[in-house]
Amino acid sequence: QLQLQESGPGLVKPSETLSLTCTVSGGSISSSSYYWGWIRQPPGKGLEWIGNIYYSGSTYYNSSLKSRVTISVDTSKNQFSLKLSSVTAADTAVYYCARPTYGDYRLDNWGQGTLVTVSS
Amino acid sequence: SYELTQPLSVSVALGQTARITCGGNKIGSKNVHWYQQQPGQAPVLVIYRDSIRPSGIPERFSGSNSGNTATLTISRAQAGDEADYYCQVWDSSTAGVVFGGGTKLTVL
């Protein structure tokens, strides 16, 4: 049974960099059948896609966040990570990691989500 | 950029059929996926590629997609179906995942 688990600080100061890691268990992050992705959800609002990464390191980012986002993968640890720079209160959200399927990009497995609050 | 439009809310009587729409330009040419999100929980995939149910999803959930509208249909609605529902596609022109704004389903 594939499981994804987000980890990282729950509080980040404005202008700093948000850093989260997603640990994948029960499956290999090096599978050619899947991407690995990040999605966020501000309190009381809808889902916003942040970006995807393939095990080879190829990345795809939401154009509205592209200048501030970096997603990386560590196949040796079966983990992938998100960095979002220059955060503001508008970046306060529940951040989910998920697994998009190669080809149709459906998100068939999600982590439980982690709330990140941007505040001084 | 590609946009998906969902009604903010849909209400359905217990045991009746609910239909949640997702509008987009020529959405019928894309694969549409649907997610259910219960309060405080992560989204769960309930329909993929327009009409396919993942393992464990009740047959009461079905989907269709044609022209400019995709539809999620929930038959014999139950109280446990109350949740937010999101449609999603891949926009090849921007190489990005796109979500609809979400629909809150209320079972009366």
Side-chain angles (χ1 to χ4, degrees), chain B residues 19-39:
Chain B
R19 294 179 179 84
I20 299 173
T21 58
C22 177
N25 185 37
K26 298 180 181 178
I27 195 174
S29 65
K30 299 181 181 298
N31 286 312
V32 178
H33 316 303
W34 290 92
Y35 303 88
Q36 177 193 69
Q37 187 179 33
Q38 302 282 3

Side-chain angles (χ1 to χ4, degrees), chain A residues 35-82:
Chain A
Y35 291 93
W36 305 94
W38 290 97
I39 299 95
R40 69 180 183 178
Q41 185 172 36
K45 297 188 177 181
L47 301 170
E48 180 181 32
W49 174 71
I50 300 171
N52 292 343
I53 190 165
Y54 199 48
Y55 76 97
S56 61
S58 298
T59 52
Y60 305 85
Y61 297 139
N62 186 324
S63 58
S64 67
L65 299 170
K66 187 173 185 176
S67 63
R68 298 193 292 130
V69 172
T70 302
I71 298 176
S72 59
V73 63
D74 187 336
T75 55
S76 67
K77 294 182 179 179
N78 231 33
Q79 296 176 333
F80 62 105
S81 299
L82 168 69

